[in-house]
Amino acid sequence: MRTLKGPTDHVVVVGAGLSGLSAALHLLGAGRQVTVVERAAEPGGRAGLLERGGYRIDTGPTVLTMPDIADEAFAAVGERLADRVELIPLHPAYRARFADGSTLDVHTGAQAMEAEIERFAGAREALGYRRLRRWLERLYRVQMRRFIDTNFDSPLGLLTPDLARLAVLGGFGRLDARVGRFLDDERLRRVFTFQALYAGVPPARALAAYAVIAYMDTVAGVYFPAGGMHALPRAMARAASDAGGDLRFEHDVTRLERSGERITAVITDRGRIPCDAVVLTPDLPVAYRLLTHRPRRPVPLRHSPSAVVLHAGTDRTWPQLAHHTLSFGASWKSTFTELTRTGRLMSDPSLLITRPTATDSSLAPPGRHLHYVLAPCPNTDIGAGVREWRDLAPRYRDTLVRQLERRGLDGFGAAVQEECLVTPADWSAQGHAAGSPFSAAHTFAQTGPFRPANLVRGTTNAVLAGCGTTPGVGVPTVLLSGKLAAARVTGAGQPTRVRPRASGPVTKGPVA
C-alpha cells in the first residue's frame, strides 16, 4: 500500500464530519499530532443539527448501521462507543408500506423476519428469505476486508482469492435478478434492493455485490443514537479532543500553502496552520480546488440522484409510522428511469419517512413530533438546475404534503408547526457536485480501485476522505474512508499506539 512521503508528525484534517473525525481518531491513536479545522460552529458536517422552535433536527443521515465501525475509531484512542453514545436498536428496522395497502415490518432477527414474511407472503417466500439471508451473510464476509475496508493502489489489488469467491456468489450479476432467485414477491424484492439507490444505480443495473448494503440494513441491524444522529459526531469530537486533538471550529479553509509537491500549511480565514500532511474531507470539487489539481478520467464522473428533504415539526403524529417507514408507490422501474435517465421528478414517488420522536421524544417540545420526509430526485446534471429549484421548491413541497395525505397521513399539512425544506439548490450551495449529497454514483467504473482515489497525483502529503472517494457513500463507508485515509498517513500494518488521555483545545476565533 502506498503511503504519504516524508514526515507526517503533524496532520491537519480539513472538516469535522464523520470521515474527518474518524481519520482524526485513527491518527491520534497512531501517535500523530492532529489539528481539525471546521468551517461550521460545531462538528458533524453532513450529519448536522438544526435547532428550531424547540425541535432538534438531524439534517443529514438518519439511518445508522454497522456501529462497530464507529466503535473501531473510538478504540483507536482507547475509548468505547458505548461509553460515549447510547445506541437504541430499532425494532422494526423499517416498516414498508405498499401502494396496495399491505404492510411489512422489516426485522433484523432471522426468526422474527421469517415469521413476518410468512404472514405477509407465505411459507415459500419465508424459505426464500432464509436462503437470501445466508447469501447476504456470505457476501458480506467476502467483501468487507478485501473490497470495502481496504486501500487500492491499482485494479490489480482486486486479484485475490476473494474475487473468485465473490464471482461464485454471483456478485458480478445484477442485483434485482440475483435477489429474484430467492424471492418471487415483487414487494419483497423491493425491500432488499431499494438500497441500490444509495449507490446511485437502479437495482436492475446495480451489481449484485451491492446487496451488502441490504445486509447492513436488514441483517446487521439499524440503530438510533439517543439525542439524534448528531450525537455520534459530537461524541467523536469529544473523544478526539480528550485524546489530545486540537479542534478548531469556525475556521474556513481558503487555500493550501505549497512548496513544490508538498503542502506546508493550511490557510484559513483565521490564520496559518503549518502541517506535515493534510486530510481533505470536503466534496471532491472543493478538495480538488484546494489542491489546484483535478485528476484526469477517461469519462466524467456520474453523480448519484439527489433528494428533497422536508423536515417537519408537527403537533400530532400518525401511529402507522414506525421510526423509519418506506412508503412505496406503485411504480418501481419507471421511478429509477426518471431519477437516473430522463431527469423527471418521480411521478409516483417512493419515500423514506423518518419519525425520530418515536424513539426519542426529547427531540421535540412536549406533545410534539418530528418527521423527516426524503424524496429522491434527479441531480442537477440531468434534472432541474439550481435556479429552477428556487422556483420549484415551494410547489414541490406542497406536492409532497398532498402525497403524504393521500397515503394516510391525514391533516399533515395543517399539523406542521416548524419546517425546513432542503433541495438540490441547497446541496449545491453546500459545495456538493451536481446538487447531490450522495456524491459519485457506484457504477462499476466508479467502484473500488476505479473510484476517485484517496491519493491525488501532484502532491506527496495529501489524502482524501469522505463519500466521494473510496470506499463510498453511507455512514459505515464514510467512517471507513477516514480510517483508510489515516492508514495512508501511518502506513500499512503499523500498530495502533493509544495515546494517554489529555484534553486538547477546542478553538473558536483567531489562531494564536
Side-chain angles (χ1 to χ4, degrees), residues 17 51 86 171 200 205 208 227 236 253 276 288 317 324 373 380 384 466 468 477 492:
E51 297 190 69
E86 179 190 355
R205 290 193 285 124
M236 295 176 74
V253 174
D276 297 311
Y288 292 152
T317 190
H324 295 299
V373 183
T380 57
T477 39

Side-chain angles (χ1 to χ4, degrees), residues 385-397 423 425:
V386 170
R387 291 183 180 179
E388 293 169 276
W389 268 110
R390 289 174 184 150
D391 295 328
L392 178 59
R395 299 198 305 275
Y396 192 61
R397 178 266 183 202
T423 74

